Amino acid sequence: GAAPAKITVQLLDAGKPVADAQVKITLVMPAMPSMSMPEMRASAELSWNGKEYSGVIDVPIAGPWNTTLEATRNGHVLASQHVRLTAH
């Protein structure tokens, strides 16, 4: 079953926290045809709590996820980062 994971992100510009961005996390697990598994994805918006962005995302199953963090402000991408996350 899905397990909630708490995500916390700091967004800094020249060392100072950026407070007015929209921060989104997206998890993607590529399809695995050999196991008859379709691609899975989950995403969540993180909200500013006064010092960082945080939120909870439901991770559908354990395993390796391709994770993208994207911060935008007024429609412009401020930062985008790809990380690999393994859920246990």
Side-chain angles (χ1 to χ4, degrees):
K6 187 168 166 44
I7 306 289
T8 307
V9 176
Q10 277 195 311
L11 185 62
L12 302 174
D13 181 20
K16 295 187 171 61
V18 176
D20 57 350
Q22 285 75 51
V23 179
K24 184 178 182 183
I25 182 169
T26 305
L27 304 179
V28 177
M29 186 177 285
M32 288 181 265
S34 63
M35 296 168 61
S36 303
M37 271 180 55
E39 176 185 279
M40 283 187 281
R41 45 178 67 226
S43 64
E45 302 281 336
L46 305 183
S47 39
W48 176 249
N49 66 13
K51 61 183 171 66
E52 60 203 1
Y53 294 86
S54 68
V56 173
I57 188 166
D58 281 325
V59 181
I61 63 167
W65 290 88
N66 295 325
T67 307
T68 304
L69 281 165
E70 191 173 69
T72 55
R73 182 168 53 192
N74 303 327
H76 298 284
V77 175
L78 299 177
S80 181
Q81 186 173 11
H82 297 275
V83 289
R84 246 177 113 63
L85 180 116
T86 301
H88 299 287

Coordinates of all heavy atoms in Angstrom, one line a residue:
G1 N 0.8 -1.2 0.0 CA 0.0 0.0 0.0 C 0.9 1.3 0.0 O 2.0 1.2 0.2
A2 N 0.2 2.4 -0.2 CA 0.9 3.6 -0.3 C 1.4 4.0 1.1 O 0.7 3.8 2.1 CB 0.0 4.7 -0.8
A3 N 2.6 4.6 1.2 CA 3.1 5.1 2.4 C 3.4 6.6 2.3 O 4.1 7.0 1.4 CB 4.4 4.3 2.8
P4 N 3.0 7.4 3.3 CA 3.2 8.8 3.2 C 4.7 9.1 3.5 O 5.2 8.5 4.5 CB 2.3 9.4 4.2 CG 1.9 8.3 5.1 CD 2.1 7.0 4.4
A5 N 5.3 9.9 2.8 CA 6.7 10.3 3.0 C 6.7 11.8 3.2 O 6.1 12.6 2.5 CB 7.6 10.0 1.9
K6 N 7.4 12.3 4.3 CA 7.5 13.8 4.5 C 8.7 14.3 3.8 O 9.8 13.7 3.8 CB 7.6 14.0 6.0 CG 7.6 15.5 6.4 CD 7.4 15.7 7.8 CE 7.7 17.1 8.3 NZ 7.1 18.2 7.5
I7 N 8.4 15.3 3.0 CA 9.5 15.9 2.2 C 9.7 17.3 2.7 O 8.8 18.1 2.9 CB 9.0 16.0 0.7 CG1 8.6 14.6 0.2 CG2 10.1 16.6 -0.2 CD1 9.7 13.6 0.0
T8 N 11.0 17.7 2.8 CA 11.4 19.0 3.2 C 12.4 19.6 2.3 O 13.4 18.8 2.0 CB 11.9 19.1 4.7 OG1 10.9 18.4 5.5 CG2 12.1 20.5 5.2
V9 N 12.3 20.8 1.8 CA 13.2 21.3 0.8 C 13.5 22.7 1.2 O 12.7 23.5 1.5 CB 12.5 21.3 -0.6 CG1 13.4 22.0 -1.7 CG2 12.1 19.9 -1.1
Q10 N 14.8 23.1 1.1 CA 15.2 24.5 1.2 C 15.5 25.0 -0.1 O 16.2 24.4 -1.0 CB 16.5 24.5 2.1 CG 16.2 24.5 3.6 CD 17.4 24.9 4.4 OE1 18.5 24.4 4.1 NE2 17.2 25.8 5.3
L11 N 15.0 26.2 -0.4 CA 15.3 26.9 -1.7 C 16.0 28.2 -1.3 O 15.5 29.1 -0.6 CB 13.9 27.2 -2.3 CG 14.0 27.8 -3.7 CD1 14.7 26.9 -4.7 CD2 12.6 28.2 -4.2
L12 N 17.3 28.3 -1.8 CA 18.1 29.4 -1.4 C 18.5 30.2 -2.7 O 18.7 29.6 -3.7 CB 19.4 29.0 -0.7 CG 19.2 28.2 0.6 CD1 20.5 27.6 1.1 CD2 18.5 29.0 1.6
D13 N 18.5 31.5 -2.5 CA 19.0 32.4 -3.6 C 20.1 33.2 -3.0 O 19.8 34.0 -2.1 CB 17.9 33.2 -4.2 CG 18.4 34.2 -5.3 OD1 19.5 33.9 -5.9 OD2 17.7 35.1 -5.6
A14 N 21.4 33.1 -3.4 CA 22.5 33.8 -2.8 C 22.5 33.6 -1.3 O 22.8 34.5 -0.5 CB 22.5 35.3 -3.2
G15 N 22.2 32.4 -0.9 CA 22.3 32.0 0.6 C 21.1 32.4 1.4 O 21.0 32.1 2.6
K16 N 20.1 33.1 0.8 CA 18.9 33.5 1.5 C 17.7 32.7 1.1 O 17.5 32.4 -0.1 CB 18.6 35.0 1.2 CG 19.7 36.0 1.7 CD 19.2 37.4 1.6 CE 20.2 38.4 2.3 NZ 21.5 38.3 1.7
P17 N 16.9 32.3 2.0 CA 15.7 31.5 1.7 C 14.7 32.3 0.8 O 14.5 33.5 0.9 CB 15.0 31.2 3.0 CG 16.1 31.5 4.0 CD 17.0 32.5 3.5
V18 N 14.2 31.6 -0.2 CA 13.2 32.1 -1.1 C 11.8 31.7 -0.6 O 11.6 30.5 -0.4 CB 13.4 31.6 -2.6 CG1 12.3 32.1 -3.5 CG2 14.8 32.0 -3.1
A19 N 11.0 32.7 -0.3 CA 9.7 32.4 0.4 C 8.5 32.3 -0.5 O 7.4 31.9 -0.1 CB 9.5 33.4 1.5
D20 N 8.6 32.8 -1.7 CA 7.4 33.0 -2.5 C 7.4 32.2 -3.8 O 6.8 32.6 -4.8 CB 7.2 34.5 -2.9 CG 8.5 35.0 -3.6 OD1 9.5 34.3 -3.7 OD2 8.4 36.2 -4.1
A21 N 7.9 31.0 -3.7 CA 7.9 30.1 -4.9 C 6.9 29.0 -4.7 O 6.3 28.8 -3.7 CB 9.3 29.5 -5.1
Q22 N 6.6 28.4 -5.9 CA 5.7 27.2 -5.8 C 6.7 26.0 -6.0 O 7.4 26.0 -7.0 CB 4.7 27.2 -7.0 CG 3.5 28.1 -6.8 CD 3.9 29.5 -7.0 OE1 4.4 29.9 -8.0 NE2 3.6 30.4 -6.0
V23 N 6.7 25.1 -5.1 CA 7.6 24.0 -5.1 C 6.8 22.7 -5.3 O 5.9 22.4 -4.5 CB 8.5 23.9 -3.9 CG1 9.5 22.7 -3.9 CG2 9.3 25.2 -3.7
K24 N 7.2 21.9 -6.3 CA 6.4 20.7 -6.5 C 7.4 19.5 -6.6 O 8.5 19.6 -7.2 CB 5.7 20.8 -7.9 CG 4.8 19.6 -8.2 CD 4.1 19.9 -9.5 CE 3.2 18.7 -9.9 NZ 2.5 18.9 -11.2
I25 N 7.0 18.4 -6.1 CA 7.8 17.2 -6.2 C 7.1 16.1 -7.0 O 5.8 16.0 -6.8 CB 8.2 16.6 -4.8 CG1 9.1 15.3 -5.0 CG2 7.0 16.3 -3.9 CD1 9.8 14.9 -3.7
T26 N 7.7 15.5 -7.9 CA 7.1 14.4 -8.7 C 8.0 13.2 -8.7 O 9.2 13.2 -8.8 CB 7.0 14.9 -10.2 OG1 6.3 16.1 -10.2 CG2 6.2 13.9 -11.0
L27 N 7.3 12.1 -8.4 CA 8.0 10.8 -8.3 C 7.5 10.0 -9.6 O 6.3 9.9 -9.9 CB 7.6 10.0 -7.1 CG 7.8 10.6 -5.7 CD1 7.3 9.6 -4.6 CD2 9.3 10.9 -5.5
V28 N 8.5 9.4 -10.3 CA 8.1 8.5 -11.4 C 8.9 7.2 -11.3 O 10.1 7.2 -11.0 CB 8.5 9.2 -12.7 CG1 8.2 8.3 -13.9 CG2 7.8 10.5 -12.9
M29 N 8.1 6.1 -11.4 CA 8.8 4.8 -11.5 C 8.5 4.3 -12.9 O 7.4 4.1 -13.3 CB 8.2 3.8 -10.5 CG 9.0 2.5 -10.5 SD 8.4 1.3 -9.2 CE 9.1 2.0 -7.8
P30 N 9.6 4.1 -13.7 CA 9.4 3.7 -15.1 C 8.6 2.4 -15.2 O 8.7 1.5 -14.3 CB 10.8 3.6 -15.7 CG 11.7 4.4 -14.7 CD 11.0 4.3 -13.4
A31 N 8.0 2.2 -16.3 CA 7.2 0.9 -16.5 C 8.2 -0.2 -16.6 O 9.4 -0.1 -17.0 CB 6.5 1.0 -17.9
M32 N 7.8 -1.4 -16.1 CA 8.6 -2.6 -16.1 C 7.8 -3.7 -16.9 O 7.1 -4.4 -16.2 CB 9.0 -3.0 -14.7 CG 10.0 -2.1 -14.1 SD 10.5 -2.7 -12.4 CE 9.4 -1.7 -11.4
P33 N 7.9 -3.7 -18.2 CA 7.1 -4.6 -19.0 C 7.3 -6.1 -18.5 O 6.4 -6.9 -18.6 CB 7.6 -4.4 -20.4 CG 8.2 -3.0 -20.4 CD 8.7 -2.8 -19.0
S34 N 8.5 -6.4 -18.1 CA 8.8 -7.8 -17.8 C 8.0 -8.2 -16.6 O 7.7 -9.4 -16.4 CB 10.3 -8.0 -17.5 OG 10.7 -7.2 -16.4
M35 N 7.6 -7.3 -15.7 CA 6.7 -7.6 -14.6 C 5.3 -7.1 -14.8 O 4.5 -7.0 -13.8 CB 7.3 -6.9 -13.3 CG 8.7 -7.5 -13.0 SD 9.6 -6.5 -11.7 CE 8.4 -6.7 -10.3
S36 N 5.0 -6.7 -16.0 CA 3.6 -6.2 -16.3 C 3.2 -5.0 -15.5 O 2.1 -4.9 -15.0 CB 2.6 -7.3 -16.2 OG 2.9 -8.4 -17.0
M37 N 4.2 -4.2 -15.2 CA 3.9 -3.0 -14.4 C 3.9 -1.7 -15.2 O 4.9 -1.5 -15.9 CB 5.0 -2.8 -13.2 CG 4.6 -3.6 -12.0 SD 5.9 -3.4 -10.7 CE 6.0 -1.6 -10.6
P38 N 2.8 -1.0 -15.2 CA 2.8 0.3 -15.9 C 3.6 1.3 -15.2 O 4.0 1.1 -14.0 CB 1.3 0.7 -15.9 CG 0.8 0.1 -14.6 CD 1.6 -1.2 -14.5
E39 N 3.9 2.4 -15.9 CA 4.6 3.5 -15.2 C 3.7 4.0 -14.1 O 2.5 4.0 -14.2 CB 4.8 4.7 -16.2 CG 5.5 5.9 -15.6 CD 5.6 7.0 -16.6 OE1 6.5 7.1 -17.3 OE2 4.7 7.9 -16.6
M40 N 4.4 4.4 -13.0 CA 3.6 5.0 -11.9 C 4.2 6.4 -11.6 O 5.4 6.6 -11.7 CB 3.7 4.1 -10.6 CG 2.9 2.9 -10.7 SD 2.9 2.0 -9.1 CE 4.5 1.2 -9.3
R41 N 3.3 7.3 -11.2 CA 3.8 8.6 -10.8 C 2.9 9.1 -9.6 O 1.8 8.7 -9.5 CB 3.9 9.6 -11.9 CG 2.8 9.7 -12.9 CD 3.0 10.8 -13.9 NE 4.1 10.5 -14.9 CZ 5.1 11.3 -15.2 NH1 5.1 12.5 -14.7 NH2 6.0 11.0 -16.0
A42 N 3.5 10.0 -8.9 CA 2.9 10.7 -7.8 C 3.5 12.1 -7.7 O 4.7 12.2 -8.0 CB 3.1 9.9 -6.5
S43 N 2.7 13.0 -7.3 CA 3.2 14.4 -7.1 C 2.5 15.1 -6.0 O 1.4 14.7 -5.6 CB 3.1 15.2 -8.4 OG 1.8 15.4 -8.8
A44 N 3.2 16.1 -5.5 CA 2.7 16.9 -4.4 C 3.2 18.3 -4.4 O 4.4 18.5 -4.8 CB 3.0 16.2 -3.0
E45 N 2.4 19.2 -4.0 CA 2.9 20.6 -3.8 C 3.4 20.7 -2.4 O 2.8 20.3 -1.5 CB 1.7 21.6 -4.1 CG 1.0 21.5 -5.4 CD 1.8 22.2 -6.5 OE1 2.6 23.1 -6.2 OE2 1.6 21.8 -7.7
L46 N 4.5 21.4 -2.3 CA 5.1 21.7 -1.0 C 4.7 23.1 -0.6 O 4.7 24.0 -1.4 CB 6.6 21.5 -1.0 CG 7.1 20.1 -1.5 CD1 8.6 20.0 -1.4 CD2 6.4 19.0 -0.7
S47 N 4.5 23.3 0.7 CA 4.2 24.7 1.1 C 5.2 25.3 2.1 O 5.9 24.6 2.8 CB 2.8 24.7 1.8 OG 2.5 23.6 2.6
W48 N 5.3 26.6 2.0 CA 6.3 27.4 2.8 C 5.8 27.4 4.2 O 4.7 27.7 4.5 CB 6.3 28.8 2.2 CG 7.2 29.7 3.0 CD1 6.8 30.8 3.7 CD2 8.6 29.7 3.0 NE1 7.9 31.4 4.2 CE2 9.0 30.8 3.8 CE3 9.6 28.9 2.5 CZ2 10.4 31.1 4.1 CZ3 10.9 29.2 2.7 CH2 11.3 30.3 3.5
N49 N 6.8 27.1 5.1 CA 6.4 27.0 6.6 C 7.1 28.1 7.4 O 7.2 28.0 8.6 CB 6.6 25.6 7.1 CG 8.1 25.2 7.2 OD1 9.0 26.1 7.0 ND2 8.4 24.0 7.4
G50 N 7.7 29.0 6.7 CA 8.5 30.1 7.4 C 10.0 30.0 7.3 O 10.7 30.9 7.4
K51 N 10.4 28.7 7.0 CA 11.9 28.6 6.8 C 12.2 27.7 5.7 O 13.3 27.7 5.2 CB 12.6 28.2 8.1 CG 12.2 26.8 8.7 CD 13.0 26.6 10.0 CE 12.5 25.4 10.8 NZ 12.7 24.1 10.2
E52 N 11.3 26.8 5.3 CA 11.5 25.9 4.2 C 10.2 25.4 3.6 O 9.2 25.8 4.1 CB 12.3 24.7 4.7 CG 11.6 23.9 5.8 CD 12.6 23.1 6.7 OE1 13.8 23.1 6.4 OE2 12.1 22.4 7.6
Y53 N 10.3 24.6 2.6 CA 9.1 24.1 2.0 C 8.9 22.6 2.4 O 9.8 21.9 2.4 CB 9.2 24.1 0.4 CG 9.2 25.5 -0.1 CD1 10.4 26.2 -0.2 CD2 8.0 26.2 -0.5 CE1 10.4 27.5 -0.7 CE2 8.1 27.5 -0.9 CZ 9.3 28.1 -1.0 OH 9.3 29.4 -1.5
S54 N 7.7 22.3 2.8 CA 7.5 20.9 3.2 C 6.1 20.4 2.8 O 5.2 21.2 2.5 CB 7.7 20.8 4.8 OG 6.6 21.5 5.4
G55 N 6.0 19.1 2.8 CA 4.7 18.5 2.5 C 4.8 17.0 2.6 O 5.9 16.5 3.0
V56 N 3.7 16.3 2.3 CA 3.7 14.9 2.4 C 3.3 14.4 1.1 O 2.3 14.9 0.4 CB 2.7 14.4 3.5 CG1 2.5 12.9 3.5 CG2 3.2 14.9 4.9
I57 N 4.0 13.3 0.6 CA 3.6 12.7 -0.7 C 3.4 11.2 -0.4 O 4.1 10.6 0.4 CB 4.7 12.9 -1.7 CG1 4.2 12.4 -3.1 CG2 6.0 12.3 -1.3 CD1 5.1 12.9 -4.2
D58 N 2.3 10.7 -1.0 CA 2.0 9.2 -0.9 C 2.9 8.5 -1.9 O 2.8 8.7 -3.1 CB 0.5 8.9 -1.1 CG -0.3 9.3 0.1 OD1 0.2 9.1 1.2 OD2 -1.4 9.7 -0.1
V59 N 3.8 7.6 -1.4 CA 4.6 6.8 -2.2 C 3.9 5.5 -2.5 O 3.7 4.7 -1.6 CB 6.0 6.6 -1.6 CG1 6.9 5.8 -2.5 CG2 6.7 7.9 -1.2
P60 N 3.5 5.3 -3.8 CA 2.6 4.1 -4.0 C 3.2 2.8 -3.6 O 2.5 1.9 -3.1 CB 2.4 4.2 -5.5 CG 2.6 5.6 -5.9 CD 3.6 6.1 -4.9
I61 N 4.5 2.5 -4.0 CA 5.1 1.3 -3.6 C 6.6 1.5 -3.3 O 7.2 2.5 -3.7 CB 5.0 0.2 -4.7 CG1 5.8 0.6 -5.9 CG2 3.6 -0.2 -5.0 CD1 6.0 -0.5 -6.9
A62 N 7.2 0.6 -2.5 CA 8.6 0.7 -2.2 C 9.4 0.5 -3.5 O 8.9 -0.2 -4.4 CB 9.0 -0.3 -1.2
G63 N 10.6 1.0 -3.5 CA 11.5 0.8 -4.7 C 12.1 2.1 -5.1 O 12.0 3.1 -4.5
P64 N 12.8 2.0 -6.3 CA 13.6 3.2 -6.8 C 12.6 4.1 -7.5 O 11.9 3.7 -8.4 CB 14.6 2.6 -7.7 CG 14.0 1.3 -8.2 CD 13.1 0.8 -7.1
W65 N 12.7 5.4 -7.3 CA 11.9 6.4 -7.9 C 12.8 7.5 -8.5 O 13.8 7.9 -7.9 CB 10.9 7.1 -6.9 CG 9.9 6.2 -6.4 CD1 9.9 5.3 -5.4 CD2 8.6 6.0 -7.0 NE1 8.7 4.6 -5.2 CE2 7.9 5.0 -6.2 CE3 7.9 6.6 -8.1 CZ2 6.6 4.6 -6.5 CZ3 6.6 6.2 -8.3 CH2 6.0 5.2 -7.6
N66 N 12.4 7.9 -9.7 CA 13.1 9.1 -10.3 C 12.3 10.3 -9.8 O 11.1 10.3 -10.0 CB 13.0 9.0 -11.8 CG 13.8 7.8 -12.4 OD1 14.9 7.5 -11.9 ND2 13.3 7.2 -13.5
T67 N 13.0 11.1 -9.1 CA 12.3 12.2 -8.4 C 12.7 13.6 -9.0 O 13.9 13.8 -9.2 CB 12.7 12.2 -6.9 OG1 12.4 10.9 -6.4 CG2 11.9 13.2 -6.1
T68 N 11.8 14.4 -9.3 CA 12.0 15.7 -9.8 C 11.5 16.8 -8.8 O 10.3 16.7 -8.4 CB 11.4 16.0 -11.2 OG1 11.8 15.0 -12.1 CG2 11.8 17.4 -11.7
L69 N 12.3 17.7 -8.4 CA 11.9 18.8 -7.6 C 11.9 20.1 -8.5 O 12.9 20.3 -9.2 CB 12.8 19.1 -6.5 CG 12.7 18.1 -5.3 CD1 13.9 18.2 -4.4 CD2 11.4 18.5 -4.5
E70 N 10.8 20.8 -8.6 CA 10.8 22.0 -9.4 C 10.2 23.2 -8.6 O 9.2 23.0 -8.0 CB 10.0 21.7 -10.7 CG 10.1 22.8 -11.7 CD 9.4 22.5 -13.0 OE1 8.2 22.5 -13.0 OE2 10.1 22.3 -14.0
A71 N 10.9 24.3 -8.7 CA 10.5 25.5 -8.0 C 10.2 26.5 -9.1 O 11.1 26.8 -9.9 CB 11.6 26.0 -7.0
T72 N 9.0 27.1 -9.0 CA 8.7 28.1 -10.0 C 8.2 29.4 -9.3 O 7.7 29.3 -8.1 CB 7.6 27.7 -11.0 OG1 6.4 27.2 -10.2 CG2 8.1 26.5 -11.9
R73 N 8.3 30.5 -9.9 CA 7.8 31.7 -9.4 C 7.3 32.6 -10.5 O 8.0 32.8 -11.5 CB 8.8 32.5 -8.6 CG 8.3 33.8 -7.9 CD 9.3 34.3 -6.9 NE 10.6 34.5 -7.5 CZ 11.7 34.8 -6.8 NH1 11.7 34.9 -5.5 NH2 12.8 34.9 -7.4
N74 N 6.0 33.0 -10.5 CA 5.4 33.8 -11.6 C 5.6 33.1 -12.9 O 5.8 33.7 -13.9 CB 6.0 35.2 -11.7 CG 5.9 35.9 -10.4 OD1 4.9 35.7 -9.6 ND2 6.8 36.7 -10.0
G75 N 5.5 31.7 -12.9 CA 5.6 31.0 -14.2 C 7.0 30.7 -14.7 O 7.2 30.1 -15.7
H76 N 8.0 31.2 -14.0 CA 9.4 31.0 -14.4 C 10.0 29.9 -13.5 O 9.8 30.0 -12.3 CB 10.2 32.3 -14.2 CG 9.7 33.4 -15.1 ND1 9.9 33.4 -16.5 CD2 9.0 34.5 -14.8 CE1 9.4 34.5 -17.0 NE2 8.8 35.2 -16.0
V77 N 10.7 29.0 -14.1 CA 11.4 27.9 -13.3 C 12.6 28.5 -12.6 O 13.5 29.1 -13.3 CB 11.8 26.8 -14.2 CG1 12.6 25.7 -13.4 CG2 10.6 26.1 -14.8
L78 N 12.6 28.5 -11.3 CA 13.8 29.0 -10.5 C 14.8 27.9 -10.4 O 16.0 28.2 -10.5 CB 13.4 29.4 -9.1 CG 12.3 30.5 -9.0 CD1 12.0 30.7 -7.5 CD2 12.9 31.8 -9.6
A79 N 14.4 26.7 -10.2 CA 15.3 25.6 -9.9 C 14.6 24.3 -10.3 O 13.4 24.2 -10.1 CB 15.8 25.6 -8.5
S80 N 15.4 23.4 -10.8 CA 14.9 22.0 -11.1 C 16.0 21.1 -10.7 O 17.1 21.3 -11.1 CB 14.5 21.9 -12.6 OG 13.9 20.7 -12.8
Q81 N 15.6 20.0 -10.0 CA 16.6 19.1 -9.6 C 16.1 17.6 -9.7 O 15.0 17.4 -9.4 CB 17.1 19.3 -8.2 CG 18.3 18.4 -7.8 CD 18.8 18.8 -6.4 OE1 18.3 19.6 -5.7 NE2 20.0 18.2 -6.1
H82 N 16.9 16.8 -10.3 CA 16.5 15.4 -10.4 C 17.3 14.6 -9.4 O 18.5 14.7 -9.3 CB 16.8 14.8 -11.8 CG 16.0 15.5 -12.9 ND1 14.7 15.1 -13.2 CD2 16.3 16.6 -13.7 CE1 14.3 15.9 -14.2 NE2 15.2 16.8 -14.5
V83 N 16.6 13.8 -8.6 CA 17.3 12.9 -7.7 C 16.7 11.5 -7.7 O 15.6 11.4 -8.2 CB 17.2 13.5 -6.2 CG1 18.1 14.7 -6.0 CG2 15.8 13.7 -5.8
R84 N 17.5 10.5 -7.3 CA 17.0 9.2 -7.2 C 16.6 8.9 -5.8 O 17.5 9.1 -4.9 CB 18.0 8.2 -7.8 CG 17.5 7.5 -9.0 CD 18.5 6.6 -9.6 NE 18.0 5.2 -9.6 CZ 17.0 4.7 -10.2 NH1 16.2 5.5 -10.9 NH2 16.7 3.5 -10.1
L85 N 15.5 8.4 -5.6 CA 15.0 8.2 -4.2 C 14.6 6.7 -4.1 O 14.0 6.2 -5.0 CB 13.8 9.1 -4.0 CG 13.1 9.0 -2.6 CD1 13.2 10.4 -2.0 CD2 11.6 8.7 -2.8
T86 N 15.0 6.0 -3.1 CA 14.6 4.7 -2.9 C 13.7 4.6 -1.7 O 14.1 4.9 -0.6 CB 15.8 3.7 -2.7 OG1 16.6 3.8 -3.9 CG2 15.3 2.3 -2.6
A87 N 12.5 4.2 -1.9 CA 11.5 4.1 -0.8 C 11.6 2.6 -0.2 O 11.6 1.7 -1.0 CB 10.1 4.4 -1.2
H88 N 11.6 2.5 1.1 CA 11.7 1.2 1.8 C 10.4 0.9 2.4 O 9.7 1.7 2.9 CB 12.8 1.2 2.8 CG 14.1 1.5 2.2 ND1 14.8 0.6 1.5 CD2 14.9 2.6 2.3 CE1 16.0 1.1 1.1 NE2 16.0 2.4 1.5

